Amino acid sequence: MNRGKPNQLARCHACGQVQSLARSKQESHSQQEASSRQAPPAHTKCIRCHSHVSLRIPQSIHKTWALLITAAILFIPANLYPVMTVVTFGSGEPATIFSGVIQLIQADMIPIAALVFIASILVPLFKLIGMAFLLTAIQRQWRINQQYATVMYRFIHFIGRWSMLDLFMISILVTLVNMESVARILTGPGATSFGALVVVTMFAAHTFDQRLIWDLLDKDNHK
Amino acid sequence: MGREINNAQYANLLLCPDCDLLIDKVTLSPNETAVCSRCQAKVLRHPKNSVNKVIAFALAGLLFYLPANFLPIMSFELLGFEATNTMLNGVSQLFNEGYYWMAFLVLMCSVLVPLFELGLLLTIALQMKFNKTNSLTTKLLLAYQHLSEWGMLEVYMLGILVAYIKMITMGSILVDMGLFCFVGMLVSALLTASCFDTQHAFDQLEANA
Ligand SMILES: [Zn+2]
Ligand SMILES: [Zn+2]
């Protein structure tokens, strides 16, 4: 299978233009030549749209790990602190994401409870575990099924945005239930952490370079 | 300047964005999509009648945009008290409660980015239709490419649905005009995006230049 990287060919992530990075290696400054031989120029500008072009996202593994660890830390306050408080006749009842799901189950709204549980708890958790698995597999050069790993990554990438469901729901409920002393729904501090969690995991999915999954095959061939 | 030659040399090649496989460029008819033989990623897409459709759908989306954002989406009544929800008063309520970060996030994903997406696509499509493309078009295309991931109208729609079902048992909840405009905006935005492909637009820009 002929691939881009061995031929010093890179695809611009923004416009799709295929271009050679080989020439810019000769043009590059001597300081880069002086560094290790196996490191070609990390990136250059796209000939068509002037975005950064590189064979692989620079420092993809490290950046993704950093974002993933941040997300794992944010996962704790996001689930421990209440995301909203329902105040009826002056007495408040703070609800975390999980207790919100329990309340929905008790109110016999099972499908909605399942939806909120999946979007707010399972999806972030699956993203954290799935991305950690992919990163470890690449770093340890595990023999994984490239097809399955790619499908898994695409799934992680696709579901990420749906975690915003809880935040949108809160922004709707705070105005809908806004009856001064009778009933109010207030935002809780957990929502801030949760919002950060969603954004950080989306960035993590973004900095991860899928092609590293398929690079494992090349390493197998060389052995 | 040597890289210009490289450009022509590799113009007949495609690289799979997902697995880095080298693929010979194929010519697609409208409405066709080329898929990577190894990992099934979409490597090339030719949207059907794209420019006219993008203009039509983006205009429709922009027409729905103001009423969708300002008209009440739902209203809720409890013991004689009534409250309504619009997309923007949700944001301002979060802001007033001091949750600036959440207000910013909701504002970006459900209000600002969808507007930018529609506006950018309309501008790009109009420029292409009347052959008025310039260096600005490239910048607009890049802006769209980077923003599009953060527009989340379809997730907001689900949020409306969940909020509605949650409140049914608590009091009387009514859907309002804003919801119909929101659905109109959502459908228009989805259709606009489906008729547009950034890479195809870049290829066309280059062909016309
Ligand atoms: Zn480019
Ligand atoms: Zn592929």
Side-chain angles (χ1 to χ4, degrees), chain B residues 90-105:
Chain B
V91 174
S92 68
Q93 179 72 25
L94 289 174
F95 191 84
N96 291 338
E97 282 183 34
Y99 287 92
Y100 305 121
W101 158 243
M102 264 195 70
F104 169 76
L105 212 56

Side-chain angles (χ1 to χ4, degrees), chain A residues 12-17 19 46-51 53, chain B residues 142 202:
Chain A
C12 172
H13 69 97
C15 75
Q17 173 73 48
Q19 50 209 288
C46 173
I47 47 178
R48 183 157 74 171
C49 74
H50 309 295
S51 301
V53 180
Chain B
L142 289 177
F202 269 114

Side-chain angles (χ1 to χ4, degrees), chain B:
Chain B
M1 291 302 106
R3 299 195 68 217
E4 298 290 331
I5 302 158
N6 286 339
N7 185 16
Q9 194 179 343
Y10 301 113
N12 58 340
L13 280 178
L14 287 173
L15 273 178
C16 173
D18 291 5
C19 75
D20 205 27
L21 190 69
L22 266 175
I23 303 162
D24 288 325
K25 197 164 191 169
V26 284
T27 318
L28 297 178
S29 337
N31 234 358
E32 275 188 335
T33 303
V35 167
C36 172
S37 61
R38 189 163 69 162
C39 76
Q40 278 76 49
K42 291 190 183 94
V43 283
L44 204 61
R45 196 164 79 95
H46 189 322
K48 193 182 176 187
N49 291 341
S50 50
V51 174
N52 288 332
K53 279 194 183 173
V54 169
I55 294 172
F57 290 136
L59 273 176
L62 288 170
L63 275 178
F64 282 122
Y65 183 82
L66 282 182
N69 275 280
F70 288 98
L71 289 183
I73 288 179
M74 291 185 281
S75 59
F76 180 67
E77 208 194 295
L78 186 71
L79 305 171
F81 290 86
E82 209 193 314
T84 57
N85 152 253
T86 68
M87 293 186 79
L88 283 172
N89 79 359
V91 174
S92 68
Q93 179 72 25
L94 289 174
F95 191 84
N96 291 338
E97 282 183 34
Y99 287 92
Y100 305 121
W101 158 243
M102 264 195 70
F104 169 76
L105 212 56
V106 174
L107 184 71
M108 283 304 284
C109 298
S110 65
V111 180
L112 291 184
V113 175
L115 175 65
F116 286 140
E117 281 181 279
L118 288 170
L120 285 170
L121 287 186
L122 181 65
T123 318
I124 294 164
L126 282 173
Q127 282 188 322
M128 292 178 86
K129 184 169 173 63
F130 297 108
N131 284 320
K132 289 271 166 59
T133 52
N134 47 36
S135 61
L136 180 71
T137 321
T138 310
K139 292 201 177 76
L140 297 179
L141 274 167
L142 289 177
Y144 172 74
Q145 172 87 349
H146 287 121
L147 273 179
S148 58
E149 197 183 351
W150 298 94
M152 303 186 186
L153 288 180
E154 73 279 20
V155 184
Y156 197 90
M157 180 74 237
L158 193 65
I160 294 174
L161 209 70
V162 173
Y164 178 83
I165 297 172
K166 237 183 154 170
M167 303 313 290
I168 278 181
T169 52
M170 296 195 178
S172 64
I173 184 157
L174 289 166
V175 293
D176 245 313
M177 253 335 268
L179 182 66
F180 301 109
C181 297
F182 178 82
V183 173
M185 174 173 74
L186 169 66
V187 172
S188 312
L190 291 177
L191 286 170
T192 315
S194 78
C195 292
F196 186 81
D197 184 77
T198 319
Q199 194 178 338
H200 184 253
F202 269 114
D203 288 346
Q204 277 190 314
L205 274 188
E206 199 175 45
N208 295 341

